[in-house]
Amino acid sequence: MLRHSAQAVARPVRALVAGRRDLLLGAFGVGLGLLITEAISRQLLGSTQPWFLIPMGASALLAFAVPASPLAQPWPVIGGNLVAALCGVACYHWLGDGGWAMACAGGLAVALMFALRCLHPPGGAMALTAVLGGPAVHALGWKFIWSPVLVNSLLVTGLAVAFHRLSGHA
């Protein structure tokens, strides 16, 4: 058993295989998508409140770089981020911003995303953002779910769909 495990560790991990065109399109798409999402969000939401969320970087990576993934489809990106934000805001209101709130927000978000078939890994970070986001996020309360989470999620998803159609990327 030990010998077999040692051999498994010695083997290189298989990298994600993609052609040069897909790599370049994915990287360019993520950068362009984040730039446009940030600019539109700042114009729509203003800079006095959170207008752009860090977990959207991971959502953009999935939507632009691995668009065929079930985790990168529109329903998981939009639904997963919304469900996670809802869980995070609820847990913050019930439990504050400590460890219990973070653990409950993350666990509840994953359970609901599974149940609603919108599992989206950046949703875990979105739930934590709602708990740990600080005074600006907490001041938004339940509005955080709609603005900026829904706005950012719709923009990233819509831009990714348009980008892939225009670029001929599958």
Side-chain angles (χ1 to χ4, degrees):
M1 178 82 170
L2 289 176
R3 183 171 172 241
H4 179 67
S5 296
Q7 288 175 344
V9 172
R11 278 189 241 133
V13 177
R14 287 174 63 117
L16 182 63
V17 179
R20 181 176 295 237
R21 180 177 185 274
D22 289 338
L23 291 171
L24 292 174
L25 277 175
F28 179 73
V30 168
L32 183 64
L34 289 174
L35 180 67
I36 294 171
T37 297
E38 187 277 335
I40 293 172
S41 293
R42 185 188 303 247
Q43 289 299 313
L44 289 176
L45 306 175
S47 60
T48 59
Q49 70 166 345
W51 71 90
F52 192 70
L53 302 165
I54 292 170
M56 296 314 298
S59 292
L61 183 147
L62 289 169
F64 285 92
V66 286
S69 168
L71 306 173
Q73 300 307 302
W75 171 238
V77 174
I78 297 166
N81 281 327
L82 286 177
V83 165
L86 174 69
C87 294
V89 171
C91 289
Y92 170 75
H93 281 292
W94 296 328
L95 302 169
D97 62 358
W100 282 106
M102 292 185 314
C104 289
L108 186 58
V110 170
L112 286 176
M113 286 188 285
F114 265 121
L116 297 171
R117 296 176 168 257
C118 59
L119 186 64
H120 185 61
M126 191 63 74
L128 295 181
T129 299
V131 173
L132 298 174
V137 169
H138 297 154
L140 290 173
W142 298 100
K143 293 180 204 170
F144 174 76
I145 299 160
W146 311 114
S147 171
V149 175
L150 179 61
V151 171
N152 284 184
S153 298
L154 287 171
L155 285 169
V156 163
T157 302
L159 289 167
V161 168
F163 178 81
H164 291 302
R165 286 193 178 149
L166 290 172
S167 68
H169 193 225

